[in-house]
Amino acid sequence: MTPGRFITLEGGEGAGKSTQLRALAAALRGRGIDVVETREPGGSEGAEAIRALLLTGGADRWSARAEALLFAAARADHVERTIRPALARGAWVISDRFLDSSRAYQGQGELTDADIVALHRIGSEGFLPDRTLLLALPEAEAAERATARDGDAPDRIGGRASDFHRAVAAAFDRFAGDEPARFRKVDASGGAEAVTARLLAALDDLVP
Ligand code: T5A
């Protein structure tokens, strides 16, 4: 049995993560790999229930600390119930967002990056992806794509101010620079097929 691999897609709103997850999964299946597609927040029954709590309601529904704990709790369930069992049977798991989203979205204000990493150590034993693909898209293009999809109704976190989303993008860039072995930053502009080809190239060393 070839070893399972855990791949995450990260990036800001509208970068094309969900679109690329589907295309990447199809391409890997075409190479004979058993692929599990999943997402965060969510990916297991309990985590999907927490997702609804996190993404709906007023902007101030949760304090920063409660929000970070809810993301960490959802992730703990997702890792234990979905990701680890799939990897154990040799499947590849591709997740639309994971820990780095919490670091970028919840670890830049009242809580620090070290706080988010500590929550992940407690919740998920510090479990990390084999490869994180960071989809990089200029702000204007990402906003255009997100608006084309969501109209004027972004979710509770997506609807935050553009300064917040700029800080999130900068944080993702920092993480990629700090961990070059795990991260690959991939240009997400242009047509979807070209982006998929870039993502596949960024997994070349892992594909059997
Ligand atoms: N969050 C999440 C945290 O704060 N902390 C955490 O720990 C985690 C895990 C999740 C929200 O939760 C926050 C971040 C988010 O605010 P979500 O509903 O899961 O929200 O949505 P997002 O992850 O933000 O992702 P989006 O769904 O907004 O965007 P995607 O998935 O990056 O983009 P996608 O594929 O839906 O594409 C957007 C639009 O662009 C088109 C698509 O058809 C779609 O209409 N598109 C393209 N158009 C032109 N060219 C291309 N190449 C295109 N690719 C896609």
Side-chain angles (χ1 to χ4, degrees):
M1 188 174 77
T2 56
R5 298 285 190 188
F6 180 38
I7 311 296
T8 57
L9 297 185
E10 297 280 11
E13 325 281 317
K17 297 175 299 300
S18 314
T19 305
Q20 289 304 325
L21 188 139
R22 291 188 293 272
L24 201 52
L28 291 170
R29 285 186 188 116
R31 296 182 187 193
I33 296 172
D34 176 8
V35 180
V36 172
E37 299 173 44
T38 188
R39 68 169 181 183
E40 288 207 348
S44 62
E45 193 183 334
E48 288 290 333
I50 296 174
R51 177 185 175 93
L53 296 174
L54 278 163
L55 298 187
T56 60
D60 60 353
R61 182 179 194 184
W62 304 106
S63 71
R65 286 164 197 278
E67 182 178 289
L69 284 161
L70 283 169
F71 274 112
R75 184 160 301 126
D77 196 65
H78 184 209
V79 167
E80 195 175 326
R81 308 273 173 106
T82 302
I83 300 174
R84 284 197 193 276
L87 294 174
R89 64 179 164 82
W92 282 42
V93 178
I94 314 181
S95 184
D96 184 347
R97 297 193 182 276
F98 190 66
L99 169 69
D100 300 298
S101 281
S102 280
R103 296 173 67 204
Y105 285 78
Q106 281 74 47
Q108 309 292 314
E110 200 174 324
L111 295 177
T112 65
D113 188 45
D115 292 329
I116 302 301
V117 170
L119 290 182
H120 187 57
R121 181 174 46 73
I122 295 164
S124 304
E125 300 173 296
F127 182 69
L128 287 177
D130 295 295
R131 177 71 33 89
T132 296
L133 302 168
L134 173 57
L135 273 70
L137 192 65
E139 193 180 329
E141 221 173 312
E144 216 170 276
R145 286 188 193 175
T147 309
R149 197 204 45 194
D150 299 336
D152 290 329
D155 62 49
R156 201 179 66 81
I157 295 175
R160 289 180 186 169
S162 51
D163 277 2
F164 174 79
H165 291 293
R166 228 165 275 143
V168 164
F172 277 129
D173 274 349
R174 268 200 317 281
F175 304 155
D178 290 346
E179 277 186 80
R182 173 162 73 90
F183 276 88
R184 295 289 182 277
K185 189 172 169 180
V186 175
D187 176 11
S189 62
E193 280 183 21
V195 180
T196 309
R198 286 178 212 130
L199 292 169
L200 279 169
L203 293 175
D204 239 6
D205 57 322
L206 300 182
V207 177

